[in-house]
Amino acid sequence: MANTKFTNLDNLSLQDFEGDAELIPLMTPEDEDEINREELPQTLPILPLRNTVLFPGVVIPITAGRDMSIDLINESNKGSKIIGVVSQKDEKIENPGADDINTTGVVARILRVLKMPDGNVTVIIQGKKRFNVAEVITEKPYLVATVREVPETRPEPDSAEFKAIIDSIKDKALQIIKQSPNIPSEAGFAIKNIESDSFLINFVSSNMNLTVEEKQNLLEINDLQERALQTLRHMNTEMQKLELKNDIQSRVHNDMSQQQREYFLHQQMKTIQEELGGVSQEDELEEMRQRAKKKKWDEKVGKHFDKELSKMQRMNPQVAEYSIQRNYLDLFLDLPWNKFSKDKFDLKRAKRILDRDHYGLDDVKKRIIEYLAVLKLRNDMKSPILCLYGPPGVGKTSLGKSVAEALGREYVRMSLGGLRDEAEIRGHRKTYIGAMPGRILQNLKKAGTSNPVFVLDEIDKLSNSNQGDPSSALLEVLDPEQNADFHDNFLELGFDLSKVMFIATANNLGNIQPALRDRMEIINVTGYTIEEKVEIGKRHLLPKQLKEHGVKPEQLKIAKPQLEKIVEGYTRESGVRGLEKQIAKMVRYAAKNIAMEEEYKVKVDTETVIDVLGSPKLERNKYENNEVAGVVTGLAWTQVGGDILFIESILSKGKGNLTVTGNLGKVMKESATLAMEYIKSNADALELNPGVFENYNVHIHVPEGATPKDGPSAGITMLTSLVSLFTQRKVKKNIAMTGEITLRGKVLPVGGIKEKILAAKRAHIKEIIMCAENERDIKEINEEYLKGLTFHYVNDMSEVLELALTKEQVKNAKIL
Ligand SMILES: Nc1ncnc2c1ncn2[C@@H]1O[C@H](COP(=O)(O)OP(=O)(O)OP(=O)(O)O)[C@@H](O)[C@H]1O
C-alpha cells in the first residue's frame, strides 16, 4: 500500500493520541486497489475489541490493557505487523473465546506501538479489508484463527443512484460536522477531500455516534450500495437528533442570553452613570429643569424648551435619538439667552488700551474710538459693522481683541478662510446625522454672553460652492434689520445677534461680496515704515516673545540698529508677522544658551544677528543703481502688501518678437503689449529709428519669477523701461512709479497707494510718479509717512518719460 499519506504518523507523539483525538489520514482509490490485490493470510492473530469496530481504510488508536492483547501486539509488531481485528459481542467479557467474538472482522496493519507508563499499550492500526473467522485454532496466549476473505458487491462504476447516495453522505456529513460543536472543523476538510467512495462510507461509519452492534451490522453488509444506504439512514437519524438537541439548547440559551444581555447592559449603564457622577435619566431631566429656571429666555423659548424636554422624558435613554435630543436641549441651556456683559464706555480708558497694545495706527484707533463714541450715544448696535482691511500681519485681528477689552466685552474669533458650506454658519437640521449648530451659535456659546466682540477673520476668503452660499448666510448675520432673529437650522428658533459687535477683517476688499461690503464700515489698516516696525519690535514683539519663551528681559537685549537690520535684511512685508518670527528666533538663541549654561551675547550685535539668522536675504529689496538701460522701479501690491518691483528689459537681434516672463498675469502681459504698441506708434516723437522694431526682439522680465504678479499698475513702469531700452537713456536715480496706461499714453490712477508709499520708503526711494488723480490718496496719509518723499502727479506718458529718464545715455550704450 502506498504509504505516503501516513508517513507523518511516525512523527506523531503520544499527546497526539490522548483524549478523543481523531486521526483522519485519507485513503485514495489507488491505496484501496492495492489493498484489494493483497493476499489474505490463512491464519491471523485475532485482537478482540471491546467497544469499537474497525472499518477498512480507517486509522484508529486502541489501548490494550489485557495481557492477551498486549502479547498479541508485541509479537505481531516484531513480525508481519498484520493482525485480525474483531469486535466482541459483549464488551464486559474479560477473556473472550471463540464464541464471544463476531465472525466478521477487519485485517489491520500496526502502524505504531506506544508503551504507556501504566503498562498499557496504545497501538495505532489501520483497517485493510474485511474477513470472516473460519475457525479459531487456539485461544492461548491469544486468539488465532483461520480466516476467509468476504466478497464485496460493488455497484456499476457509473451508477447514478450510488453516486447520489455518496453525494448525500458527503452533504450530510458536512451538516453534522457543522452542527456538532465537538467535532473539529478539520473533519469537514477531510470529508471534502476523500476520493474513495468505500473509504468515505467506512470513515463516516467509523466516526458516527453508533453502538458497537450498529457499527458491526454495517460492517457485515456485503453490498456496498446497501451499506452506503444504511449509513445514510443512520446519518439522517443522527442529524435529526442533533437538530433537536441544538434546538432545545438554543431555546434555553436564548432565554439565558436575553436575560444576560439585559443584565449586562444595565450593569454597563450603571457603571457609565457612576462614572459620570451617578446621573440617571430622571436626575438628568431634573438637572436640566433646574438649569432652565435660571435662564433668562423669552416665554416662547421657554415653552419650546419645556415641550422638547417632555419629549426627551418620553424617550428610551438607550436609543440614539435620546442623545441627540439631550445635545439639543444642552445647546438651549448653554446659549447665553439675553445675557449681556455691561459695556465700559470710558473712551479714555479704551484709548489707553488700544495704545497699550498697538503702536502707531493712529488713524485706525481714532476711527475705532469715534465708532465707540457713537455706540455710547445711541446705545444700540445698529451702526454699521466694522471691517478692518489691510495687508497680513498689521494687527487687524489683535485690534479686535483690544476693542473687546476696551469695551469690557467677551471676545470670540471665527476664521472664515476657506469656509464654503453654508451649514457651517447656519448649522444642520436636527434630523441630519451628526447635526450641529452653526459656528456663529457655537462661538456665542463659547463667549457666554450675547454681546461679545465677534471677529470674523478673513471675510474676503469666503468661498462659494455647491453647498450653498455662505456669504448670503453671513449677510443675514450682519444685517441689523434681520439679525435680531437669526435662524440656525439646528436650533430651529431665532436667536438675537443684534447686540453682538461684529468686526470683520480682510486683506483684499475686491474679493468681498459687494452686498457684504456695503454693510460694513471699512477701516484701512496700512502697513508700517521701517521706523515703526523697529518700534513695534522693541515695544511689543520682543517683550511678547521673551515672555513666551520664558526669557527675562535682562537676558536678551536687541537695540534699535540691530532691529533695523532684522527688518531690512530678513523681512519683506507690510505687517510685522515675519519680524515677530525673526525676533522669536533671536529669543530662542538666548533661551538655548541659557538652558545649556553657555556664554552668549546678551546685548545682540549685528554679527550675532547674522550668526543666528543667516546672511541677510533681502538687501536687493533696496533701490538698485541706474547703470543699465531698461531697468525701472515700480510700486506694486503683492501678497505681502505694498512692495517695490523692478522691471527689466533687454534687446537681442531678431525679428521684432516680444517675450514677457516673470509669472505675470493676463493684465500685466497686456500692459507690456500696450507699452510696446505705444512706443511703435510714437517712434518719431521718441526719436527712434523705425527699423529697430523689425531687427530686434524685446524681452521684458519681472523678478522674482516664482511670485505670481498681476494688475495694471505696472503699465507706466513697463513703458519707461522700454523707452529707456530703445533710447539707451539712463533712468533717474531713486525714482519709482505706479500707474496704468492707455493705448493713447494716458496715465490712470491705481489702488493701494498708501501701502506702496510705505514700501517705497522702506526701499529708500526718494521720488514717486503717479496719476494726478491719486493725489487725493496722498492727502489722506499721515505727514510722518511722507517725509523725505517727492511726488510727481502726471496725466500723460510723455510727462512720465520727461521725469523718469535723464538725457544721458548709459555707459557702453548700444547703437540701434
Ligand atoms: N501696531 C502694532 N503694535 C503692536 N503689535 C502689533 C502691531 N501690529 C501687529 N502687531 C502684532 O503682530 C502680530 C500679527 O498681527 P495680527 O494677527 O493681528 O495680524 P492681522 O492683520 O490680523 O493679519 P492677517 O490678515 O494675516 O490675519 C500680532 O502678534 C500683533 O499683536
Side-chain angles (χ1 to χ4, degrees):
M1 158 185 169
N3 223 4
T4 46
K5 297 239 168 169
F6 301 119
T7 44
N8 59 348
L9 274 179
D10 296 334
N11 301 325
L12 291 175
S13 69
L14 193 58
Q15 281 94 342
D16 295 313
F17 304 114
E18 275 179 1
D20 289 324
E22 298 275 354
L23 287 169
I24 38 181
L26 312 178
M27 193 168 73
T28 63
E30 294 79 50
D31 297 334
E32 202 176 46
D33 286 348
E34 206 176 315
I35 290 173
N36 286 337
R37 279 198 299 275
E38 273 176 28
E39 283 280 317
L40 188 71
Q42 281 187 334
T43 59
L44 276 176
I46 302 292
L47 179 70
L49 298 183
R50 279 183 204 262
N51 48 14
T52 189
V53 175
L54 177 68
F55 285 84
V58 179
V59 175
I60 56 169
I62 288 163
T63 302
R66 295 181 278 199
D67 289 346
M68 60 186 291
S69 302
I70 295 173
D71 286 350
L72 182 150
I73 289 163
N74 286 339
E75 290 275 305
S76 309
N77 196 33
K78 281 183 226 149
S80 67
K81 298 187 194 278
I82 298 292
I83 57 174
V85 177
V86 184
S87 57
Q88 286 180 206
K89 288 180 184 158
D90 179 355
E91 65 172 275
K92 288 191 203 88
I93 296 172
E94 198 53 35
N95 291 309
D99 298 336
D100 304 318
I101 54 171
N102 287 308
T103 42
T104 306
V106 172
V107 182
R109 181 187 155 86
I110 299 175
L111 297 177
R112 187 106 200 239
V113 177
L114 304 153
K115 296 209 165 56
M116 314 299 274
D118 60 1
N120 286 352
V121 169
T122 294
V123 58
I124 297 152
I125 55 174
Q126 183 183 31
K128 292 188 148 224
K129 57 172 144 182
R130 299 181 310 152
F131 67 84
N132 270 344
V133 176
E135 188 186 352
V136 174
I137 310 167
T138 167
E139 292 186 351
K140 294 259 155 50
Y142 43 78
L143 292 166
V144 178
T146 53
V147 294
R148 266 200 315 267
E149 206 160 313
V150 190
E152 188 171 71
T153 323
R154 293 198 163 224
E156 291 297 315
D158 50 0
S159 157
E161 195 184 345
F162 182 63
K163 201 170 164 300
I165 298 170
I166 291 295
D167 286 348
S168 305
I169 290 180
K170 271 201 181 181
D171 287 351
K172 264 283 136 30
L174 293 175
Q175 284 173 24
I176 292 175
I177 291 165
K178 215 165 144 194
Q179 298 258 4
S180 318
N182 298 334
I183 304 181
S185 55
E186 290 83 347
F189 179 75
I191 294 282
K192 281 187 202 150
N193 284 295
I194 292 175
E195 293 162 26
S196 153
D197 297 340
S198 63
F199 177 63
L200 175 74
I201 300 163
N202 291 334
F203 181 73
V204 171
S205 310
S206 169
N207 286 294
M208 240 188 318
N209 212 359
L210 298 178
T211 61
V212 174
E213 198 184 339
E214 284 167 328
K215 282 188 180 178
Q216 182 67 28
N217 287 342
L218 282 175
L219 183 69
E220 285 175 13
I221 301 172
N222 293 338
D223 186 298
L224 192 60
Q225 182 160 330
E226 178 57 27
R227 179 131 49 94
L229 212 55
Q230 290 302 333
T231 309
L232 190 58
R233 275 199 192 111
H234 282 299
M235 290 174 93
N236 277 334
T237 319
E238 176 135 350
M239 187 68 206
Q240 279 164 11
K241 278 196 228 157
L242 259 176
E243 276 170 1
L244 204 62
K245 195 166 123 193
N246 284 347
D247 189 33
I248 293 167
Q249 275 200 346
S250 78
R251 256 186 283 156
V252 175
H253 182 75
N254 269 351
D255 284 354
M256 271 293 289
S257 49
Q258 183 60 27
Q259 274 176 18
Q260 274 176 341
R261 216 172 96 85
E262 278 175 14
Y263 173 75
F264 180 66
L265 286 174
H266 274 114
Q267 278 306 104
Q268 260 191 339
M269 212 164 78
K270 223 170 114 189
T271 322
I272 293 170
Q273 282 179 354
E274 269 168 20
E275 292 220 346
L276 292 175
V279 188
S280 69
Q281 186 190 4
E282 206 22 69
D283 291 350
E284 201 164 51
L285 290 163
E286 186 49 35
E287 194 207 312
M288 284 183 162
R289 268 182 223 112
Q290 293 308 324
R291 278 176 70 197
K293 275 189 199 155
K294 293 187 199 133
K295 296 302 275 187
K296 290 191 241 161
W297 49 39
D298 303 341
E299 205 187 317
K300 186 175 149 208
V301 181
K303 270 195 185 147
H304 183 85
F305 180 85
D306 291 343
K307 202 173 107 212
E308 293 295 322
L309 191 73
S310 50
K311 218 190 249 177
M312 178 170 158
Q313 197 168 10
R314 290 193 301 273
M315 281 177 162
N316 177 352
Q318 273 141 47
V319 300
E321 286 75 18
Y322 182 84
S323 64
I324 296 176
Q325 185 70 2
R326 194 180 47 209
N327 286 346
Y328 178 62
L329 292 173
D330 270 342
L331 176 69
F332 267 81
L333 294 168
D334 288 340
L335 278 175
W337 303 90
N338 294 328
K339 188 174 167 199
F340 305 107
S341 60
K342 198 162 164 12
D343 282 339
K344 294 178 181 153
F345 276 128
D346 178 350
L347 295 186
K348 289 212 175 81
R349 178 179 165 274
K351 175 132 190 358
R352 261 201 318 278
I353 292 175
L354 290 180
D355 284 340
R356 182 198 69 195
D357 293 345
H358 293 89
Y359 177 82
L361 301 176
D362 293 340
D363 287 347
V364 181
K365 290 176 192 164
K366 205 169 109 205
R367 291 278 296 275
I368 293 177
I369 295 291
E370 282 168 7
Y371 180 83
L372 298 182
V374 175
L375 271 188
K376 179 178 175 176
L377 298 181
R378 284 180 50 164
N379 206 15
D380 76 2
M381 263 293 151
K382 291 218 170 125
S383 44
I385 280 88
L386 280 185
C387 173
L388 302 173
Y389 110 90
V394 289
K396 301 181 297 293
T397 312
S398 59
L399 268 170
K401 200 166 180 179
S402 299
V403 171
E405 195 189 333
L407 274 175
R409 292 191 179 200
E410 293 298 325
Y411 164 82
V412 275
R413 173 179 166 266
M414 165 175 165
S415 175
L416 300 171
L419 191 146
R420 47 196 8 240
D421 189 349
E422 191 182 334
E424 293 222 36
I425 292 181
R426 247 189 230 292
H428 292 288
R429 298 187 69 79
K430 207 160 49 129
T431 44
Y432 194 89
I433 296 169
M436 278 198 299
R439 279 166 53 188
I440 300 284
L441 285 196
Q442 285 183 32
N443 276 303
L444 281 181
K445 194 172 109 176
K446 204 158 82 188
T449 60
S450 280
N451 63 340
V453 170
F454 199 131
V455 172
L456 297 166
D457 236 348
E458 305 190 310
I459 199 162
D460 53 334
K461 308 253 166 57
L462 265 187
S463 42
N464 235 334
S465 73
N466 48 3
Q467 280 119 325
D469 176 8
S471 21
S472 57
L474 208 58
L475 265 180
E476 192 188 323
V477 171
L478 297 183
D479 186 351
E481 303 301 323
Q482 295 183 49
N483 68 6
D485 197 24
F486 169 70
H487 183 88
D488 182 283
N489 291 327
F490 185 78
L491 190 71
E492 293 174 347
L493 273 187
F495 193 87
D496 181 5
L497 300 180
S498 64
K499 306 286 185 305
V500 177
M501 178 172 181
F502 287 105
I503 299 182
T505 80
N507 288 146
N508 193 340
L509 280 188
N511 294 348
I512 307 179
Q513 209 214 46
L516 262 182
R517 201 170 51 207
D518 286 352
R519 296 254 180 313
M520 302 190 288
E521 180 170 338
I522 312 281
I523 300 183
N524 185 195
V525 188
T526 51
Y528 302 108
T529 58
I530 295 174
E531 294 73 32
E532 283 175 323
K533 287 188 183 185
V534 169
E535 284 303 325
I536 296 172
K538 187 165 167 277
R539 295 174 194 221
H540 297 278
L541 307 179
L542 181 60
K544 183 172 153 203
Q545 289 302 324
L546 287 172
K547 201 166 159 206
E548 274 180 21
H549 288 81
V551 178
K552 295 190 192 107
E554 60 274 16
Q555 288 175 316
L556 183 76
K557 294 195 187 310
I558 311 179
K560 279 191 183 175
Q562 281 68 39
L563 278 172
E564 198 175 312
K565 176 85 194 163
I566 299 176
V567 171
E568 288 213 72
Y570 302 89
T571 70
R572 182 175 180 183
E573 52 178 357
S574 295
V576 290
R577 194 165 284 140
L579 175 62
E580 188 167 10
K581 279 193 197 141
Q582 298 301 332
I583 289 179
K585 270 193 205 161
M586 295 302 301
V587 177
R588 280 200 293 277
Y589 146 81
K592 184 200 123 207
N593 286 309
I594 296 165
M596 294 178 76
E597 296 178 1
E598 276 173 14
E599 271 195 23
Y600 70 99
K601 289 238 171 69
V602 172
K603 272 193 180 162
V604 172
D605 55 20
T606 309
E607 283 88 77
T608 319
V609 171
I610 296 173
D611 263 6
V612 179
L613 304 182
S615 47
K617 299 176 185 80
L618 299 165
E619 301 286 31
R620 63 185 154 62
N621 198 15
K622 288 191 189 166
Y623 170 74
E624 291 182 357
N625 66 42
N626 65 344
E627 292 308 323
V628 193
V631 180
V632 185
T633 312
L635 296 176
W637 174 263
T638 67
Q639 293 142 324
V640 291
D643 204 355
I644 64 161
L645 105 183
F646 302 106
I647 293 193
E648 310 170 342
S649 47
I650 55 159
L651 284 175
S652 55
K653 284 268 178 225
K655 291 191 181 133
N657 295 335
L658 172 68
T659 316
V660 188
T661 56
N663 209 344
L664 309 187
K666 204 168 134 224
V667 179
M668 217 158 162
K669 281 187 186 153
E670 281 175 6
S671 297
T673 315
L674 271 177
M676 199 61 217
E677 292 308 315
Y678 175 85
I679 293 177
K680 281 185 191 167
S681 70
N682 291 280
D684 283 350
L686 296 167
E687 294 169 18
L688 298 179
N689 168 11
V692 70
F693 302 115
E694 275 88 62
N695 300 330
Y696 287 93
N697 288 338
V698 178
H699 186 151
I700 303 177
H701 179 66
V702 188
E704 300 138 51
T707 321
K709 312 162 194 84
D710 204 7
S713 73
I716 65 169
T717 325
M718 283 196 175
L719 185 50
T720 310
S721 161
L722 289 178
V723 175
S724 159
L725 183 71
F726 282 116
T727 59
Q728 295 286 299
R729 279 159 71 184
K730 269 191 176 181
V731 180
K732 209 172 182 183
K733 269 190 179 172
N734 296 320
I735 198 162
M737 59 195 72
T738 182
E740 182 175 349
I741 45 163
T742 70
L743 206 47
R744 289 178 298 141
K746 291 262 161 276
V747 179
L748 302 181
V750 290
I753 291 297
K754 288 181 199 163
E755 298 306 324
K756 290 176 178 173
I757 301 303
L758 290 171
K761 247 192 115 134
R762 291 197 292 270
H764 304 286
I765 297 287
K766 302 272 183 289
E767 287 178 67
I768 296 172
I769 305 176
M770 65 179 72
C771 174
E773 280 183 47
N774 277 127
E775 192 175 355
R776 57 166 190 246
D777 296 304
I778 301 293
K779 292 214 169 99
E780 280 180 19
I781 301 177
N782 195 327
E783 287 279 308
E784 273 296 296
Y785 293 159
L786 306 178
K787 258 191 209 157
L789 289 175
T790 309
F791 294 95
H792 302 286
Y793 303 111
V794 297
N795 287 307
D796 196 273
M797 231 10 247
S798 56
E799 296 169 67
V800 177
L801 297 175
E802 190 63 31
L803 286 161
L805 299 179
T806 63
K807 299 280 175 237
E808 195 187 339
Q809 286 209 313
V810 292
K811 243 189 250 166
N812 308 324
K814 279 190 181 173
I815 317 277
L816 302 171

